[in-house]
């Protein structure tokens, strides 16, 4: 995962509260919702989820408007402290299985685990339940950027494979392959990266080719894929989770400093907030500060999801290309004029910096098309609805640079895939 630096150093009463309800259910459109547009759906690949957290509470009637996707309903405890609820639901968590899609009642969360014998759960860990915080944090930021989206948490193994014959855990490719085949999923957010975005061998590590095939299939099936650039300043070109041209590569920006995070990998499509307040998995409703391109990525994915929701509500439709173009053209172009290296990214000055120094933005290599924040969703949607592909004057140089960068990505990955 593109972890926080700290994490990187370390690597339903019976039927009503705490059991899985019945068998699979399939969302079927009700007459009252037949005219309503289907909700947007963002899939996130990550460590797990804490469905008890208030960040994920939602109007589940929107599930009735999904055009498929059988799931099993899970009812969890809704009273007491977090530890009380987890204890009351112990039998439920023990009953959840890999390869099964679940919906947590009272939330807008669906989830499925892709962990298996090659990368099993650690002792004492429950299927889907987040015990590291990363998945809860990233999902909460997508939820924050799009308050109406349905989220699908796809539980995968850690970034580094536990076996000697792979580099990235095979569950990652398996999760992308499953998401690619689901017509009701609109976007995929991946807060992970190949270590140092280093080139990898398909001959040595078969999961590379499996991931590339799955991600290309997802793109061909009309899904926008967002990949974290990574938290090391190496170029992203050869990183197969963010370098391929069909993936929207997301870097990190510090709005308080008006600068690019020094840790962000270079060569990106857009920037998202590197430092953000995300759901704290140790609480029922608390938040804490997190940093990394892991968090920039779901913020951008959620923003595009919200834009797509606005388009659908207006009776329009959007191709992935139209959405991506509108995203690029709506991103905020940056320069170094407002750069402040001493500003604190947090709103609590007693906490100090939790992230790297920010660098002044002086090149498109740093910013890509620019900074994306949740407030841009209406602008992105309007560009799609008006079929407006005009390049703002202040982005002429950026457009030229990004066209050259995209051509380089296409050339590199065309050669890599043919070779």
């Amino acid at each position: 995962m593109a972890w926080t630096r700290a994490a990187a150093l370390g690597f339903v009463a019976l039927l009503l509260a705490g059991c899985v309800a019945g068998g699979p259910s399939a969302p079927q459109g009700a007459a009252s919702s037949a005219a309503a547009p289907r909700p947007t759906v963002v899939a996130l690949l990550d460590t797990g989820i804490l469905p008890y957290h208030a960040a994920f509470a939602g109007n589940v009637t929107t599930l009735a408007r999904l055009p498929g996707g059988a799931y099993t309903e899970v009812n969890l405890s809704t009273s007491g402290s977090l530890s009380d609820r987890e204890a009351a639901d112990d039998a439920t968590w023990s009953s959840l299985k890999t390869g099964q899609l679940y919906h947590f009642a009272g939330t807008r969360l669906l989830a499925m685990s892709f962990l298996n014998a090659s990368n099993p759960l650690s002792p004492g860990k429950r299927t889907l339940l987040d015990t590291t915080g990363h998945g809860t944090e990233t999902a909460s930021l997508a939820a924050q950027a799009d308050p109406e989206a349905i989220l699908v948490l796809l539980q995968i193994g850690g970034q580094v494979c536990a076996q000697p014959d792979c580099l990235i855990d095979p569950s990652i490719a398996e999760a992308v392959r499953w998401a690619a085949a689901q017509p009701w999923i609109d976007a995929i957010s991946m807060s992970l990266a190949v270590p140092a975005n280093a080139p990898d061998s398909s001959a040595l590590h078969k999961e590379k080719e499996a991931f590339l095939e799955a991600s290309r299939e997802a793109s061909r099936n009309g899904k926008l894929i967002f990949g974290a650039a990574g938290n090391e300043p190496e170029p992203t070109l050869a990183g197969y989770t963010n370098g391929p041209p069909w993936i929207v590569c997301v870097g990190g920006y510090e709005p308080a400093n008006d600068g690019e995070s020094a840790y962000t990998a270079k060569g990106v499509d857009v920037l998202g907030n590197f430092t953000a307040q995300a759901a704290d998995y140790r609480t029922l409703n608390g938040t804490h500060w997190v940093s990394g391109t892991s968090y920039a990525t779901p913020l951008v994915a959620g923003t595009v999801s919200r834009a797509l929701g606005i388009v659908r509500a207006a009776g329009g439709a959007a191709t992935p290309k139209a959405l991506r173009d509108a995203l690029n053209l709506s991103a905020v172009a940056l320069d170094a004029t407002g750069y402040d290296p001493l500003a604190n990214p947090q709103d609590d000055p007693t906490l100090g910096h939790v992230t790297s120094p920010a660098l002044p933005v002086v090149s498109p290599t740093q910013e890509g098309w620019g900074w994306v924040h949740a407030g841009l969703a209406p602008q992105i949607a309007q560009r799609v609805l008006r079929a407006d592909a005009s390049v703002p004057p202040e982005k002429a140089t950026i457009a030229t640079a990004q066209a050259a960068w995209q051509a380089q990505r296409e050339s590199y990955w065309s050669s890599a895939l043919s070779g």
Side-chain angles (χ1 to χ4, degrees):
M1 301 292 168
W3 307 96
T4 61
R5 289 182 63 78
L9 295 173
F11 177 39
V12 168
L14 295 178
L15 291 179
L16 294 179
C19 68
V20 178
S25 303
Q28 299 294 331
S32 61
S33 62
R38 74 175 181 89
T40 56
V41 182
V42 180
L44 303 103
L45 280 64
D46 222 302
T47 60
I49 195 71
L50 186 78
Y52 302 101
H53 200 283
F56 307 117
N59 180 5
V60 297
T61 60
T62 57
L63 285 171
R65 302 202 301 271
L66 286 180
Y71 59 82
T72 297
E73 190 82 357
V74 178
N75 291 279
L76 296 174
S77 300
T78 58
S79 62
S81 67
L82 177 57
S83 59
D84 290 339
R85 298 183 194 192
E86 289 186 359
D89 296 332
D90 184 67
T92 296
W93 287 111
S94 298
S95 72
L96 302 187
K97 304 180 184 303
T98 62
Q100 171 64 53
L101 182 64
Y102 296 97
H103 169 245
F104 294 103
T107 78
R108 51 193 174 115
L109 281 174
L110 294 161
M112 180 186 286
S113 177
F114 289 85
L115 299 185
N116 50 41
S118 66
N119 191 339
L121 290 161
S122 59
K125 181 174 170 59
R126 302 303 193 191
T127 298
L128 295 176
L129 183 60
D130 191 7
T131 58
T132 68
H134 198 268
T136 298
E137 291 159 353
T138 60
S140 74
L141 291 170
Q144 183 184 118
D146 187 353
E148 298 182 14
I150 290 173
L151 309 175
V152 187
L153 192 288
L154 306 181
Q155 185 184 40
I156 57 169
Q159 178 175 349
V160 179
C161 183
Q163 306 299 321
D165 59 347
C166 57
L167 177 63
I168 296 297
D169 193 83
S171 61
I172 296 172
E174 293 168 11
V176 175
R177 184 183 302 112
W178 179 85
Q182 310 308 310
W184 47 276
I185 291 178
D186 299 299
I188 302 172
S189 178
M190 306 183 301
S191 291
L192 52 92
V194 174
N197 291 315
D200 192 21
S201 166
S202 295
L204 292 176
H205 300 136
K206 300 187 185 309
E207 77 279 3
K208 174 186 176 182
E209 190 61 35
F211 174 87
L212 289 169
E213 289 178 0
S215 61
R216 280 184 296 172
E217 184 66 16
S219 179
R220 286 193 292 262
N221 288 351
K223 305 176 197 318
L224 278 175
I225 311 170
F226 301 85
N231 301 333
E232 299 160 298
E234 289 82 4
T236 60
L237 183 63
Y240 64 79
T241 63
N242 50 35
W246 57 86
I247 295 176
V248 179
C249 182
V250 183
Y253 173 67
E254 294 287 14
N257 304 108
D258 195 12
E260 175 215 27
S261 168
Y263 288 142
T264 295
K266 311 306 174 187
V268 301
D269 287 290
V270 294
L271 301 177
N273 285 12
F274 190 83
T275 298
Q277 273 192 305
D280 185 343
Y281 80 107
R282 298 161 298 190
T283 71
L284 289 170
N285 53 23
T287 62
H288 61 178
W289 289 100
V290 294
S291 292
T293 56
S294 277
Y295 308 112
T297 304
L299 285 168
V300 173
T303 299
V304 176
S305 171
R306 183 72 196 108
L308 178 56
I310 295 171
V311 171
R312 287 177 177 167
T319 65
K321 183 181 185 307
L323 274 171
R324 187 168 179 176
D325 288 347
L327 169 69
N328 294 339
L329 294 169
S330 300
V332 179
L334 305 171
D335 57 40
T337 57
Y339 175 63
D340 181 357
L342 300 180
N344 194 321
Q346 304 172 359
D347 59 7
D348 184 347
T350 67
L351 294 176
H353 289 272
V354 297
T355 184
S356 68
L359 304 174
V361 176
V362 296
S363 165
T365 302
Q366 296 174 273
E367 67 172 314
W369 285 93
W371 171 45
V372 176
H373 57 82
L376 291 177
Q379 182 177 331
I380 296 170
Q382 286 306 308
R383 275 192 171 270
V384 172
L385 290 167
R386 297 195 306 262
D388 180 4
S390 61
V391 178
E394 70 274 14
K395 283 195 168 182
T397 300
I398 289 175
T400 299
Q402 286 302 101
W405 172 240
Q406 189 72 351
Q408 187 177 354
R409 296 168 77 182
E410 290 170 356
S411 175
Y412 179 92
W413 285 98
S414 176
S415 298
L417 292 169
S418 63

